[in-house]
Amino acid sequence: MLPPQRASSDSTYTTIPVSFSAAISRSFQNLSTTYSRQRPWPEFLASASECSRPDSLAGATSRLRLNSKYFGINYAIVITLCGAFSLLGSPLYLLLIASVFFLWLLLWFSREDQIVIGGHHISEQAVMIGLAVVSVAVLWFTGVFNTLLIGVSVGILIVAVHCMLRIPEGVFLDENDAVHSGLINAQSTPSVNRV
């Protein structure tokens, strides 16, 4: 009789191989889910009453942190649009850069499953290196790096100004933020009448 095997403390997990098309399909679903988390644009485009100059550096930092979490998807869209507007003068380059950007979104930021091509698992490192090589090659051959950098920098500047001027009052991400801001009491338990 064989001795019973002991379970090791280091559990190993294996992933179920998923075809390339299934991985891409899930990436599209994740990308769609992420996009749907954007805040409504009228809420994002605050009125003058919802904006003010921060009182201190700590206040500006707090606003930057809260607003970047709450409006993160909107800010990503603004930065992307600024980068795209900077390339409007050369539509072919805009399409190339947009394709590379879309590959990053699809294969890196929104992908959950490991890619399998021809029965071979493609490592995360290989995906990252491949995307980086394609990005550098497109930027090198198109020569639009400086133009794109200026557009993205303008987008980041717009986002930073919005983050620091937008008053985050009433903007809560979840229950933990509401508790820390004092909106709800963490110790809220029903009171029991004792006789």
Side-chain angles (χ1 to χ4, degrees):
M1 185 164 134
L2 294 173
Q5 295 184 357
R6 296 185 332 193
S8 66
S9 61
D10 296 333
S11 298
T12 57
Y13 298 96
T14 58
T15 57
I16 299 171
V18 177
S19 69
F20 183 72
S21 61
I24 296 301
S25 174
R26 284 191 194 177
S27 293
F28 272 117
Q29 290 172 354
N30 291 339
L31 194 57
S32 174
T33 302
T34 300
Y35 180 75
S36 70
R37 288 190 314 223
Q38 75 171 344
R39 302 298 174 180
W41 289 103
E43 181 183 354
F44 176 77
L45 301 170
S47 65
S49 64
E50 296 171 328
C51 294
S52 72
R53 190 174 59 87
D55 297 335
S56 64
L57 182 61
T61 305
S62 174
R63 285 184 182 187
L64 189 69
R65 183 181 51 80
L66 287 172
N67 285 330
S68 64
K69 284 182 183 177
Y70 189 74
F71 293 114
I73 303 299
N74 298 73
Y75 289 149
I77 292 170
V78 168
I79 293 170
T80 301
L81 288 176
C82 287
F85 283 140
S86 71
L87 297 175
L88 281 180
S90 47
L92 178 63
Y93 295 158
L94 175 61
L95 287 174
L96 284 171
I97 299 295
S99 300
V100 170
F101 180 71
F102 187 69
L103 280 176
W104 274 97
L105 286 176
L106 200 61
L107 296 177
W108 188 256
F109 292 109
S110 61
R111 183 175 53 84
E112 292 178 354
D113 304 311
Q114 187 173 16
I115 296 176
V116 178
I117 298 177
H120 299 288
H121 292 275
I122 310 299
S123 70
E124 297 295 315
Q125 186 178 17
V127 172
M128 174 69 129
I129 290 170
L131 288 170
V133 167
V134 168
S135 301
V136 168
V138 167
L139 288 173
W140 178 268
F141 289 119
T142 59
V144 296
F145 179 75
N146 290 337
T147 307
L148 186 62
L149 184 63
I150 290 170
V152 169
S153 298
V154 168
I156 291 172
L157 180 65
I158 291 169
V159 164
V161 168
H162 184 274
C163 269
M164 287 188 267
L165 293 181
R166 176 73 158 80
I167 300 170
E169 295 299 321
V171 173
F172 298 104
L173 300 171
D174 57 18
E175 293 82 14
N176 290 333
D177 289 334
V179 167
H180 291 299
S181 299
L183 182 64
I184 59 174
N185 184 1
Q187 304 296 330
S188 60
T189 57
S191 59
V192 178
N193 294 333
R194 296 181 188 260
V195 181

